[in-house]
C-alpha cells in the first residue's frame, strides 16, 4: 500500500470533516463542497485521517507540504547520531612510544563521541600475568578520564582482556563541535590571506 495520502479527486467518500488552511475546524461537509473550497483557496484537499468517520481532510499546498517534510527528514538524518564502537588492541608489555600512539587514537575516538573497546592480547607466558593487562587498562582509563569513562570494567575473554570506554560527550555534540571547528578553520583561511599580505608590505618598503 502507498504511504501517500489521497488528495483531491482521489478521495472517494460522500462527506469529510474539513480542516481549513490555518487549522480551523470547518466541520463536516459534502466532498463536492470541500473540493470547491479547495479550488477557491487554490489549495489541495488532502486526506489526513483516512480511518476517521468521516475521514478528516485538510486544505493545504500539498507540494509545499511534501517538500518541507522531505527537508525536515533530511535534517533529522543529518543530525542523527550513530553510536560507533572503535577497537584498539594493545600488548601487555607495550613500548612507551606505541602506547602514546595508541592512546592518541583513543583520545581521537572519544572526542568524536565514539565508544572504544580496548583489547589486551596475551601471548605465551603472558597469560599467567593478567595483572599486567589490568594495570595497563587502568592506566589508559586514567590517562583519558577527562574525555571518557569506564563503561565496561576489564574482564578476561579467553586469551584477551577487554574493557570498554564510553565518551563523556554525546555523539551529536561532538558532530556539532566538529562542524563549528571546520567552519572556523574555513573562515580563518579565507580571511587570513589578505591580512598576511598587508603585514608584509612594510617589510618590503
Amino acid at each position: 500500500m502507498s504511504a501517500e495520502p489521497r488528495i483531491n479527486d482521489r478521495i472517494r467518500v460522500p462527506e469529510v470533516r474539513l480542516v481549513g488552511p490555518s487549522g480551523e475546524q470547518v466541520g463536516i461537509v459534502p466532498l463536492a463542497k470541500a473540493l470547491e473550497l479547495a479550488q477557491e483557496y487554490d489549495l489541495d484537499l488532502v486526506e489526513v485521517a483516512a480511518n476517521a468517520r468521516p475521514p478528516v481532510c485538510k486544505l493545504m499546498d500539498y507540494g509545499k507540504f511534501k517538500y518541507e517534510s522531505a527537508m525536515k527528514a533530511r535534517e533529522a538524518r543529518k543530525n542523527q547520531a550513530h553510536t560507533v564502537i572503535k577497537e584498539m588492541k594493545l600488548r601487555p608489555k607495550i613500548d612507551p612510544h606505541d602506547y602514546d600512539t595508541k592512546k592518541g587514537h583513543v583520545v581521537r575516538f572519544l572526542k568524536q563521541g565514539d565508544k572504544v573497546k580496548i583489547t589486551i592480547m596475551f601471548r605465551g607466558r603472558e597469560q599467567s600475568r593478567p595483572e599486567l593487562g589490568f594495570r595497563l587498562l587502568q592506566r589508559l582509563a586514567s590517562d583519558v578520564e577527562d574525555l571518557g569513562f569506564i563503561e565496561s570494567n576489564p574482564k578476561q575473554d579467553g586469551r584477551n582482556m577487554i574493557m570498554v570506554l564510553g565518551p563523556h560527550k554525546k555523539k551529536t555534540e561532538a558532530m556539532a563541535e566538529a562542524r563549528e571547528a571546520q567552519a572556523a578553520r574555513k573562515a580563518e583561511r579565507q580571511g587570513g590571506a589578505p591580512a598576511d599580505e598587508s603585514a608584509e608590505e612594510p617589510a618590503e618598503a
Side-chain angles (χ1 to χ4, degrees):
M1 293 180 63
S2 174
E4 293 280 331
R6 292 186 295 182
I7 66 171
N8 301 325
D9 295 336
R10 291 171 54 197
I11 301 172
R12 305 287 187 182
V13 291
E15 59 184 16
V16 299
R17 184 179 298 277
L18 187 63
V19 179
S22 301
E24 70 275 15
Q25 297 290 331
V26 178
I28 297 174
V29 300
L31 176 62
K33 177 65 175 176
L35 289 170
E36 185 181 318
L37 287 171
Q39 288 184 338
E40 287 181 13
Y41 282 106
D42 193 25
L43 295 172
D44 298 299
L45 182 66
V46 182
E47 190 177 58
V48 294
N51 294 327
R53 291 292 178 267
V56 180
C57 294
K58 185 176 181 181
L59 297 175
M60 68 171 77
D61 183 337
Y62 186 57
K64 181 181 178 182
F65 170 76
K66 282 186 67 175
Y67 174 78
E68 290 177 349
S69 297
M71 289 298 100
K72 287 178 182 177
R74 181 180 175 185
E75 189 65 24
R77 285 194 300 270
K78 182 180 177 182
N79 293 327
Q80 190 174 9
H82 296 283
T83 301
V84 178
I85 298 181
K86 305 286 188 177
E87 186 170 11
M88 188 58 54
K89 295 181 178 180
L90 292 78
R91 296 292 306 282
K93 296 180 180 179
I94 189 171
D95 176 85
H97 179 266
D98 288 341
Y99 174 81
D100 289 338
T101 301
K102 300 274 188 179
K103 183 179 72 173
H105 292 313
V106 173
V107 166
R108 178 163 53 87
F109 295 147
L110 292 173
K111 282 183 176 180
Q112 292 171 352
D114 295 322
K115 295 182 181 182
V116 189
K117 176 183 175 183
I118 313 295
T119 302
I120 304 293
M121 300 179 297
F122 296 95
R123 292 179 185 173
R125 296 180 180 178
E126 292 174 348
Q127 295 180 59
S128 63
R129 300 287 306 278
E131 69 276 7
L132 294 177
F134 182 80
R135 283 202 295 266
L136 182 58
L137 291 175
Q138 291 293 322
R139 174 188 171 192
L140 181 59
S142 177
D143 286 346
V144 299
E145 62 183 356
D146 291 343
L147 298 170
F149 62 96
I150 299 177
E151 186 173 287
S152 177
N153 286 313
K155 62 181 179 181
Q156 198 77 26
D157 182 18
R159 294 184 177 184
N160 300 328
M161 183 174 286
I162 295 170
M163 176 181 74
V164 177
L165 294 174
H168 290 311
K169 193 180 298 180
K170 292 182 180 178
K171 184 73 172 178
T172 49
E173 294 174 358
M175 290 169 63
E177 287 185 9
R179 285 197 295 268
E180 289 175 6
Q182 186 178 8
R185 287 195 298 270
K186 184 177 180 181
E188 188 177 337
R189 285 197 301 269
Q190 291 176 343
D196 292 341
E197 291 173 5
S198 62
E200 291 175 0
E201 286 177 5
E204 292 175 1

